[in-house]
Structures are given as structure tokens and as C-alpha cells.
Amino acid sequence: MFLTIDTNDARSIYQQVADGIKELIARGELPEGSALPPVRQLANDLGVNLNTIATAYRELQKEGLLTVKHGSGSVVASRTATERSHDELLRPLRTALTELVLAGLKPSRIQEIVIQELRTVTKGSK
Amino acid sequence: MSPNQMLIAMFILSCAARVRGCFRRWRQPLVRGPEWFFNVHVRPDFYDGPGRKLLHRYWVRMFIPIAVEVLLAAAIFISGHLLYLYWLIVAASIAVHVNHLFSVDLAERQARNFAVPEAEQPVSSVVLSLTPRRLRDYTNRRTEQIIILASTGTLIWLVRYYLRAPAEHSLRAIFGLPAFLLYSQLGFLFVKYGIVAWRTPIPQAQAEEHLHAREEARRFYLRACDWLRLLTAGELMFWPVLLTASQAMRTYVVTFFWVAVLAVSVVLTVWQELGRRAVLKASLRARPMKMPDFLHTGNSSRPLCYEPGTPMLLIRGARGYSLNLANKLTQLGAAYLAGLIALFALLRMSH
């Protein structure tokens, strides 16, 4: 299972790592309970500071997607365990939709894009 | 067979075992074809101009440890202190590899000035494997069971042997060599840990090939470590046999043991060469690519550094690599060497 980091991407490396893991969880490629590599391994392989990966893991932990088990490292948490409110969950979607509207796309085209992206994101998930 | 004859036989065999390695290292710069110098994609006229000089310099550097070894071996033979041959074999095996790593790195850095410009651009996309890499994932349960059984069984037997008549036996004579062999076991485990933890940056292009090449190399070196650990456990098990052998039988037992060790070493050397071919085949399928430097460490030229936030053992700089003293492997390695010195001192002091 791979995670891709692009140096041309405007997002910071920690954000790319966090987003990449989120996508894999959403697609069901990282099912509940699967172990993630230790921070040191990922940071070493990528050649970045330990804090970069630790921040990504912390963010995922804060969002309830990862749990840190003593002795066995980080594992993917149950997806029903999320404690974020409905409004909180919708906020990034609203921001993304606003961007698309401001870019001049018609509502029907936006709808198409959303459906297509949803299919990509949930590809493989049960 | 006298001890001196055994040492000479061991020295000759160790030299013979390294011949193939010499040829391999000799051909290594050109193994990817005429457009390459090691892992550097060079300009077409490279070997007509500066490349020839760089290649010759690399070959001369490869010859240095051999020349030093020949001189030292001659000095040992002339002085008659043949016991030093054992330490020469150990030192030469380490020196050849260290010199090789250093020379390849130096040659590649010099060749980068004549590389194809596009090839010197770091890749923009890198791939991270999310599969956890732990020592236990690369551990053969049966091998571990054999080593644990052999080590504990021998130790129990030695303790009982010593306790039967403590006044008659010397602690050093009974436990000296086993202590050294057990400490070597620990050293091999430490090396295994280092191999598992060794970083594997992978470019997005040809990710599968790169990952396969790295896994192939990792498994090859781990298997070699396990074979050496099994050989060490075998040596440990032989110790009680030697202790209980009568004076008349001792020479035969030792000769049998040395012949067995040498035969196993020859078999392992052949196996290693075959394994290397598979590693080389896998590595040739993966095209070398320059990885991006996320830490921007390219300007550092110190041989040692202390970077607690950086997880790497070796940090690439302007003049080769810098050893990160904050890395757990460096600290464990230093502790291991200190322990080895303490063990030797303890064995020297004990009676």
C-alpha cells in the first residue's frame, strides 16, 4: 500500500501524508484495526523531520481516524467512533463547493464532479 | 593439523572467497551499460573524456585495501605471529566494504558533474510504503528456535560442567569463548535491526520495481546474517565437545571442526554469490533516480552531526555522508562497541 508525496503539490508534506492516509481509509484499503508504520519509519523513508510525520499522525488521531496503542503503534480506528459534529463535517465540502462555483462551473457540472469524486474516494470501501 | 596451519588455510580461503567480490566491484561502474557510471546517467562521451580518469581512480581505490592486506600479511608471515592472521581477515573484510562504500559515493559525486542534465533533476513524486517494517516481520521462527535452544542448552551444560569442580576449572577457559560468541550473536541481531530499519525512498515512477529491488536486497542481507548466526550457534555447541575431549583426541576434534567450518564457509560463499545475482537482476530492473532532498541538507560537509529531529542514520551532504549521532542505531552501535571492549577487558582480567 503506497502513499504518494508530490513536491509540486501546494500542500505541506504533513498535510499530504494525512490526506493520503485519510483517502486510503475512506477507500477501505486501510481497514479498521490495520497497523500503520511507526513515525520513525515513515520519516526515515521519506527523508523528513520526525515532527512532519508526527504532526500528520496527531491530526489523524485528533480526527478520530487513528488510535495509538501502547506497544503496537498506531492503528486505524473505528470509523463510527468519530465525534465530529455534522456542521464540522460539512464545512470543508462547503468550502470546496464555493471554490467550484467561484471558478464559474455550472451546478450540473459541479454535481457531476462531486459524484465522480465520491466514486473515486469510496472505490473499494464496503 | 596444527593451529598455525589452520590459520594459514583460513587466510588463503578468505582471500579466495574475496576474489569474486573484487571482480564484481571492478565491473560495478559499468554494470548498467555504457550510458551509466554506477547509478549516474552520464553523457555519451563520458568514457572518452573525464569518465576514463574517474573509472581508473575508482579501480586504484579498490586496490588499496588489497595492497595493504598483502603488506600486512607479509609482515605477519615474516614475524611468525600467525595469530594476527585472524585479526587481519576480520579487519580486511570490514576495510574492503567500507572502502567500497566510500569509493562508490566519491566516484558518483564526481561523475554527477558530467551527468545528463535531465537525469540530475530530482523526481517530483515519491512513494511511501505503509507496510510496517519490524524485525519480527523478517524473522524465521525456526531459525530463532534453533539458535535459542543451542545457546541455552550449551550454557546450561557449561554451568553444570564448571560447578562440578569449580576449583579445577578456570572461568575464562570455560566461559571466555562462549561469552564472545553470544556477544557476536547480539551483534548480528543488531545488524539485522539496522538492515530492517534501513531507509527505502521510492520514486513514483517504477515504484514496484524499486520496492522489489530493495526488498530483495534486504532479504538477502538478512538471510546472510541468519546464516552467520547459525554458524556462530554451531561454534558455541562445539565448545563442550572440545572441553570434554581427551588430550589425544583434541587435535583431531579441532581439525574436524575447522574443516567443517571452512566447508560451510565455502558453501555459504557460493550461496551468497548466487543470491547476489538475484539482487543485481532486481536492481537492474529499477532505473536509478535522484530523490528530492526534503531536509535541504546538501550543504553540510561535516563527517559527524547531531540532528535529533532527523530519523536518518546517514545524512547526505556536500562531501559524502554525515553520521547522525542522535540516531538510535549510532548510539546502539557505540554501546555495542563499548560492551565489546568491556568484555575483552573482563576476560583478560578474569582467571
Side-chain angles (χ1 to χ4, degrees), chain B residues 7 16 26 72 75 132 156 163 177 183 187 221 223 290 312 328 347:
Chain B
L7 277 168
W26 189 269
L72 288 174
I156 291 168
L163 290 177
L177 185 74
Y183 201 73
Y221 288 114
R223 269 200 303 270
K290 195 171 178 186
M312 284 98 86
K328 207 161 74 174
L347 290 176

Coordinates of all heavy atoms in Angstrom, one line a residue, chain B residues 7 16 26 72 75 132 156 163 177 183 187 221 223 290 312 328 347:
Chain B
L7 N 45.2 -21.6 10.6 CA 45.1 -20.1 10.3 C 45.5 -19.8 8.9 O 44.8 -19.0 8.3 CB 46.0 -19.4 11.3 CG 45.4 -19.1 12.7 CD1 46.4 -18.6 13.7 CD2 44.3 -18.1 12.6
A16 N 40.6 -16.3 -1.2 CA 39.9 -16.9 -2.4 C 38.4 -16.5 -2.4 O 37.9 -16.2 -3.5 CB 40.0 -18.4 -2.3
W26 N 35.0 -4.4 -9.4 CA 35.7 -3.9 -10.6 C 34.7 -3.6 -11.7 O 34.8 -2.5 -12.4 CB 36.7 -5.0 -11.1 CG 37.7 -4.6 -12.1 CD1 37.5 -4.7 -13.4 CD2 39.0 -4.0 -11.8 NE1 38.6 -4.2 -14.1 CE2 39.5 -3.8 -13.1 CE3 39.7 -3.7 -10.7 CZ2 40.8 -3.2 -13.3 CZ3 40.9 -3.2 -10.9 CH2 41.5 -2.9 -12.1
L72 N 50.6 -6.3 5.1 CA 50.4 -6.8 6.5 C 50.6 -8.3 6.6 O 51.2 -8.8 7.5 CB 49.1 -6.3 7.0 CG 48.9 -4.9 7.3 CD1 47.5 -4.5 7.7 CD2 49.9 -4.4 8.4
A75 N 54.2 -9.1 6.5 CA 54.8 -8.7 7.8 C 54.5 -9.8 8.9 O 55.4 -10.2 9.6 CB 54.3 -7.4 8.3
P132 N 4.2 -1.7 7.8 CA 5.2 -1.6 8.9 C 6.3 -2.6 8.7 O 6.1 -3.7 8.3 CB 4.4 -1.9 10.1 CG 2.9 -1.8 9.7 CD 2.9 -2.2 8.3
I156 N 23.7 -24.0 29.8 CA 23.4 -24.9 31.0 C 24.4 -25.9 31.2 O 24.9 -26.2 32.3 CB 22.0 -25.5 30.8 CG1 20.9 -24.3 30.8 CG2 21.7 -26.5 31.8 CD1 19.5 -24.7 30.4
L163 N 30.4 -26.1 37.7 CA 30.0 -26.3 39.1 C 30.4 -27.7 39.6 O 30.5 -27.8 40.8 CB 28.5 -26.1 39.2 CG 28.1 -24.6 39.1 CD1 26.6 -24.5 39.2 CD2 28.7 -23.7 40.1
L177 N 35.2 -18.0 25.5 CA 34.8 -18.1 24.1 C 33.3 -18.0 23.9 O 32.8 -17.3 23.1 CB 35.4 -19.3 23.4 CG 35.1 -19.4 21.9 CD1 36.0 -18.5 21.1 CD2 35.3 -20.8 21.4
Y183 N 28.0 -12.7 22.5 CA 28.0 -11.3 22.2 C 28.0 -11.0 20.7 O 27.4 -10.1 20.2 CB 29.3 -10.6 22.8 CG 29.1 -9.1 23.0 CD1 28.3 -8.6 24.0 CD2 29.8 -8.2 22.2 CE1 28.1 -7.3 24.2 CE2 29.6 -6.9 22.4 CZ 28.8 -6.4 23.4 OH 28.6 -5.0 23.5
G187 N 25.4 -8.9 18.3 CA 25.9 -8.0 17.3 C 25.2 -8.3 15.9 O 24.7 -7.4 15.3
Y221 N 20.5 -9.8 2.6 CA 21.4 -9.5 3.7 C 20.9 -10.0 5.0 O 21.7 -10.5 5.9 CB 21.7 -8.0 3.8 CG 22.5 -7.4 2.7 CD1 22.0 -6.6 1.7 CD2 23.8 -7.8 2.5 CE1 22.7 -6.1 0.7 CE2 24.6 -7.4 1.5 CZ 24.0 -6.5 0.6 OH 24.8 -6.1 -0.5
R223 N 19.2 -12.8 5.3 CA 19.5 -14.3 5.3 C 20.9 -14.5 5.6 O 21.3 -15.5 6.3 CB 19.1 -14.8 3.9 CG 17.7 -15.3 3.8 CD 17.5 -16.2 2.6 NE 17.9 -15.6 1.3 CZ 17.1 -14.9 0.5 NH1 15.8 -14.8 0.9 NH2 17.5 -14.4 -0.6
K290 N 17.1 10.4 -9.0 CA 17.6 11.2 -7.9 C 16.3 11.6 -7.0 O 15.3 12.0 -7.6 CB 18.2 12.5 -8.5 CG 19.0 13.2 -7.4 CD 19.8 14.3 -8.0 CE 20.5 15.1 -6.9 NZ 21.2 16.2 -7.3
M312 N 17.3 9.8 10.0 CA 18.3 9.1 9.3 C 19.6 8.8 10.0 O 20.0 9.7 10.8 CB 18.6 9.8 7.9 CG 17.5 9.6 6.9 SD 16.4 11.1 6.9 CE 17.3 12.1 5.8
K328 N 19.3 6.4 16.9 CA 19.3 5.3 17.9 C 20.3 4.2 17.4 O 21.0 3.6 18.3 CB 17.9 4.7 17.9 CG 17.6 4.0 19.2 CD 16.1 3.8 19.5 CE 15.6 2.7 18.6 NZ 14.2 2.3 18.9
L347 N 37.5 -10.4 30.3 CA 38.1 -11.7 30.0 C 39.6 -11.8 30.3 O 40.2 -12.7 30.8 CB 37.9 -12.2 28.5 CG 36.4 -12.5 28.2 CD1 36.3 -12.8 26.7 CD2 35.9 -13.7 29.0

